[in-house]
Amino acid sequence: MIKNIINLRDKLEALLLIQENFHNDGKVADYIPALAGVSPKLMGVSVATIDGNVIGAGDHQIPFSIQSISKVFGLVMAMNRLGDELWHRVNMEPSGQPFNSIIQLEWEKGIPRNPVINAGALLVADVLTSHFSASKLAFLTFLRKLAADENIFIDNHVYQSELSHGSRNAAMGYLMKSFGNIEAEIPEVLSHYFTQCSVAMSCQQLASSLLFLANKGIDPKTNNTICSPRDAHRVNAILSTSGMYDQSGEFAFSVGLPAKSGVGGGVVAIVPGYGVICSWSPPLNRFGNSVVGTNLVSDLAEELGLSIYH
Ligand code: DON
């Protein structure tokens, strides 16, 4: 583990320099048109530790679209609200399919494989929509509290873009509703889901806001309990097996950290007992995971010996 914070900053700078050669390897997401305009050259990385340090390099303070990283926050809110009943409506198995695949939903009678593929996140969005009087505000308030930053915002341009290109998510919502696994009306569920995906945050804010998952559910900045130790364990387990979608096996094999990606190019990785890494670079690989973002987490985890399987 890192003893010297100055060394950590130097190390992050050095890792970013190496990655300058790799940002041409992926492709910026364009199925949500508002994401296509983001420069492929932006890249940043932050490390937040449970003992209070937040170290960053590159574009670590620039807000980007958190996209599927929002699924982690939504899941924690739904677990807190619904308790174990949640796990009757969504499973905890890897899907082995792309994040937006619809194919298993029909076979498995409208029960999503896990809460971090799109179908599962829509189910979670239904729980939030049905159990909060103003779920979008509750979501944003939760993030602002976790990041200790009132400036976190919803990017309305991204929201509108998702809304007008959301047919596949809508199809999954209606399919689950046909099986009786969605309570609210689908336009409401989609509106919540696209809102949470459209939140903009920086690497620094994301790393800091997820520290509770590295600290048995307690936010070390405030000592507030965000979730139970059992639920922190469960979220980390799901991120280990499914957070990088159908690249999760390879990521566990080579990196060994619970992690979640988003098509905005962000990757967060939880290091239990130590802290959180967040990296960002918009070009994605074929799994929808950031090429450079994944490399950065991988290189840092290897250099510092952070794998949870050691
Ligand atoms: O629903 C979608 O497809 C996007 N709003 C989120 C997908 C995503 O970030 C997948 N992550 N790699």
Side-chain angles (χ1 to χ4, degrees):
M1 295 282 178
I2 281 288
K3 304 244 170 0
N4 184 330
I5 293 307
I6 311 281
N7 282 351
L8 179 55
R9 186 170 290 113
D10 288 350
K11 202 173 279 292
L12 297 181
E13 300 277 3
L15 292 178
L16 279 176
L17 214 55
I18 296 168
Q19 294 304 319
E20 295 278 330
N21 302 322
F22 292 100
H23 65 70
N24 288 326
D25 285 5
K27 189 170 171 302
V28 179
D30 58 4
Y31 77 103
I32 300 168
L35 298 180
V38 182
S39 166
K41 295 193 172 151
L42 294 164
M43 59 171 84
V45 59
S46 283
V47 177
T49 63
I50 57 178
D51 58 10
N53 294 301
V54 188
I55 312 296
D59 302 309
H60 63 116
Q61 286 173 317
I62 297 184
F64 60 89
S65 193
I66 69 171
Q67 292 296 319
S68 284
I69 297 173
S70 69
K71 293 168 179 173
V72 183
F73 300 104
L75 174 60
V76 171
M77 287 176 77
M79 287 167 96
N80 282 343
R81 212 20 99 100
L82 214 55
D84 284 351
E85 198 189 319
L86 180 66
W87 304 108
H88 299 298
R89 295 177 58 191
V90 59
N91 220 322
M92 65 288 281
E93 297 298 338
S95 72
Q97 298 291 326
F99 64 83
N100 56 0
S101 171
I102 201 167
I103 207 155
Q104 284 168 334
L105 264 187
E106 168 78 346
W107 292 115
E108 299 181 359
K109 305 199 177 339
I111 310 283
R113 269 289 169 118
N114 66 65
V116 294
I117 51 172
N118 283 14
L122 288 162
L123 186 289
V124 165
D126 176 52
V127 171
L128 300 182
T129 307
S130 308
H131 288 80
F132 286 87
S133 53
S135 64
K136 298 174 193 171
L137 181 62
F139 187 85
L140 191 59
T141 305
F142 185 52
L143 261 54
R144 286 176 170 170
K145 186 179 98 173
L146 286 174
D149 192 336
E150 288 299 310
N151 295 319
I152 289 171
F153 63 99
I154 294 157
D155 183 331
N156 194 46
H157 178 52
V158 173
Y159 173 78
Q160 293 300 337
S161 192
E162 292 217 45
L163 199 57
S164 48
H165 293 80
S167 307
R168 179 174 277 267
N169 285 319
M172 286 189 260
Y174 283 109
L175 185 57
M176 286 189 284
K177 197 161 179 72
S178 77
F179 282 105
N181 199 20
I182 293 278
E183 285 174 43
E185 294 308 316
I186 296 304
E188 262 191 276
V189 173
L190 292 173
S191 179
H192 175 96
Y193 172 70
F194 293 142
T195 299
Q196 69 170 54
C197 290
S198 305
V199 169
M201 288 170 79
S202 65
C203 291
Q204 184 177 302
Q205 290 168 329
L206 276 168
S208 173
S209 65
L210 285 167
L211 278 170
F212 69 98
L213 288 178
N215 195 40
K216 296 184 163 45
I218 295 170
D219 184 343
K221 306 187 293 299
T222 57
N223 262 342
N224 288 338
T225 297
I226 308 303
C227 66
S228 67
R230 186 193 65 164
D231 281 350
H233 158 91
R234 287 179 165 186
V235 173
N236 285 332
I238 284 171
L239 298 187
S240 295
T241 51
S242 305
M244 302 295 278
Y245 305 113
D246 40 340
Q247 196 182 5
S248 297
E250 185 204 317
F251 192 81
F253 187 84
S254 58
V255 182
L257 291 173
K260 185 75 212 80
S261 62
V263 290
V267 179
V268 293
I270 314 298
V271 190
Y274 173 67
V276 179
I277 305 167
C278 179
S279 55
W280 173 50
S281 161
L284 309 177
N285 64 18
R286 68 191 168 92
F287 303 105
N289 300 326
S290 168
V291 174
V292 164
T294 306
N295 291 348
L296 284 167
V297 172
S298 175
D299 291 353
L300 193 62
E302 179 157 355
E303 278 206 30
L304 304 185
L306 300 178
S307 166
I308 60 171
Y309 301 117
H310 281 151

